[in-house]
Amino acid sequence: MLSSKRVFRYTRRLSTLKEFFMAVPKAKTSKSRRNMRRAHHALGKVKVAEDKTSGELKRSHHVSADGYYNGRQVTTAKVNR
């Protein structure tokens, strides 16, 4: 059985050694596995809807160029898009 002094020295030494260890993969990640992991990183298509007031196309859930949102005017300034 270890004395309390020995246990303290041992745990202190372990805590200082942990700084030098780093995560290293056990095996190479293949190109196929890497690309399958990245498969959901692609950008989706932009949703476009017709504006109720002007009839022009705009992005869904965004203010139109003339300041209307959901059929009512929310700003008087022109929105550049």
Side-chain angles (χ1 to χ4, degrees), residues 21-68:
F21 296 127
M22 62 182 277
V24 179
K26 283 195 172 199
K28 178 183 176 180
T29 304
S30 69
K31 293 175 187 174
S32 173
R33 186 172 293 274
R34 177 197 65 198
N35 293 339
M36 284 190 285
R37 182 179 65 240
R38 295 178 183 170
H40 69 281
H41 289 229
L43 295 174
K45 294 181 180 178
V46 176
K47 306 284 191 269
V48 179
E50 185 178 341
D51 187 30
K52 291 180 182 178
T53 55
S54 64
E56 65 185 40
L57 295 177
K58 69 173 191 76
R59 292 175 62 194
S60 297
H61 305 285
H62 284 73
V63 177
S64 65
D66 54 352
Y68 280 84

